[in-house]
């Protein structure tokens, strides 16, 4: 209880100091949400989107899960994506992995994590796809760091395979998809990949929007 009450107290202090610094802060936010970015990041408590990008409330629409995965059957994620692309009309979607990711480390082990096995499975698939490249790296930490990067890149590619994104590309140049990785050690975000409306997708993943459309596009 004490820890929880401390959070509520900290919130009151924060709200008060925001109002003192900028009397219109909350009034502005209540009436306006026009973020240009959708952030897909890890749930890890050390990687908070606003703090590490030095942005304010209202600037980034955020979705976080273990190991920043883009799963094409995840209703939660798909709803966030659809809202961000079609209603908020975000210009950029940023998948941000981070070195030292517990989800990545767990997926590289053979430990049975029960329910979590199911969530981590797509990371094992990324490992398997890049097994040759990864197993040349003898240092275990460096190998995990490379898997963090490859996993992030694959999640950006997964985004491009989703019809919500492709449908938007049929009518505009947005959203631009980016993948990057955050270092817990120095706080710096490193760019990895950009995919935009002009990037050629493998034919099997392309949807033809001239065909009859279904309700869920
Ligand atoms: Co993580």
């Amino acid at each position: 209880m004490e820890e929880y009450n401390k959070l509520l107290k900290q919130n009151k202090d924060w709200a008060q100091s925001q109002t003192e610094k900028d009397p219109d802060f909350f009034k502005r936010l209540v009436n306006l949400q026009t973020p240009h970015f959708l952030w897909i990041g890890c749930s890890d408590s050390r990687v908070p989107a606003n703090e590490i990008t030095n942005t304010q409330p209202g600037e980034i629409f955020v979705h976080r899960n273990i190991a920043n995965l883009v799963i094409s059957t995840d209703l939660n994620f798909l709803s966030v994506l659809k809202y961000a692309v079609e209603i908020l009309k975000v210009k950029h979607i940023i998948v941000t992995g981070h070195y030292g990711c517990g989800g990545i480390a767990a997926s590289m082990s053979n430990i049975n994590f029960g329910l979590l096995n199911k969530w981590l499975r797509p990371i094992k698939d990324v490992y398997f796809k890049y097994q040759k490249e990864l197993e040349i790296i003898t240092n275990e930490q460096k190998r995990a760091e490379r898997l963090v990067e490859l996993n992030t890149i694959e999640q950006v590619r997964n985004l491009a395979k989703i019809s919500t994104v492709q449908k938007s590309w049929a009518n505009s140049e947005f959203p631009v998809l980016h993948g990057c990785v955050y270092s817990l050690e120095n706080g710096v975000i490193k760019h990895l990949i950009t995919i935009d409306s002009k990037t050629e997708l493998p034919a099997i993943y392309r949807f033809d929007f001239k065909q009859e459309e279904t309700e869920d596009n």
Side-chain angles (χ1 to χ4, degrees):
M1 239 0 227
E2 204 178 304
E3 284 175 332
Y4 172 66
N5 287 334
K6 190 173 165 228
L7 276 194
L8 294 186
K9 168 79 171 66
Q10 284 172 196
N11 162 258
K12 278 205 191 74
D13 294 345
W14 172 78
Q16 195 184 338
S17 78
Q18 281 299 125
T19 311
E20 280 165 11
K21 265 192 288 186
D22 178 359
D24 291 330
F25 181 77
F26 292 108
K27 256 178 251 163
R28 264 199 327 271
L29 281 178
V30 165
N31 297 318
L32 192 73
Q33 188 191 211
T34 54
H36 292 158
F37 304 97
L38 166 61
W39 174 278
I40 301 165
C42 184
S43 297
D44 193 301
S45 63
R46 300 165 295 179
V47 195
N50 281 127
E51 278 90 337
I52 67 175
T53 56
N54 200 17
T55 49
Q56 295 296 312
E59 291 191 65
I60 306 187
F61 199 59
V62 173
H63 179 80
R64 291 168 70 178
N65 61 42
I66 293 173
N68 42 272
L69 299 185
V70 170
I71 308 290
S72 69
T73 51
D74 176 356
L75 186 61
N76 180 354
F77 165 69
L78 291 173
S79 303
V80 169
L81 179 69
K82 191 174 172 73
Y83 188 77
V85 170
E86 295 182 8
I87 309 296
L88 297 173
K89 300 191 187 305
V90 296
K91 293 194 163 71
H92 302 273
I93 304 180
I94 308 167
V95 182
T96 307
H98 70 100
Y99 298 127
C101 183
I104 297 290
S107 76
M108 291 175 82
S109 80
N110 296 106
I111 298 168
N112 171 20
F113 291 100
L115 175 70
L116 271 174
N117 297 337
K118 293 154 183 64
W119 184 256
L120 298 176
R121 230 292 300 287
I123 310 173
K124 287 183 185 283
D125 293 340
V126 175
Y127 187 101
F128 190 68
K129 181 174 174 181
Y130 294 97
Q131 191 165 9
K132 266 197 194 138
E133 176 186 337
L134 286 165
E135 292 186 355
I136 289 169
I137 307 168
T138 48
N139 180 297
E140 210 171 309
Q141 188 188 331
K142 292 262 179 290
R143 190 158 74 237
E145 287 178 356
R146 184 58 186 149
L147 183 58
V148 165
E149 296 176 356
L150 291 170
N151 177 59
T152 304
I153 289 165
E154 286 300 313
Q155 303 318 311
V156 177
R157 288 182 178 144
N158 286 347
L159 269 175
K161 296 170 191 168
I162 296 176
S163 52
T164 304
V165 170
Q166 290 188 22
K167 194 180 172 195
S168 182
W169 282 348
N171 302 306
S172 89
E173 61 188 299
F174 298 113
V176 182
L177 316 177
H178 310 273
C180 54
V181 62
Y182 174 74
S183 166
L184 296 172
E185 284 176 17
N186 62 20
V188 175
I189 294 173
K190 183 173 89 177
H191 173 77
L192 295 172
I193 186 175
T194 292
I195 295 178
D196 66 17
S197 60
K198 290 174 192 72
T199 306
E200 191 91 352
L201 294 178
I204 192 68
Y205 295 116
R206 277 182 238 144
F207 295 108
D208 183 356
F209 292 101
K210 288 180 204 83
Q211 300 284 323
E212 190 186 328
E213 284 182 34
T214 63
E215 182 64 20
D216 293 323
N217 65 59

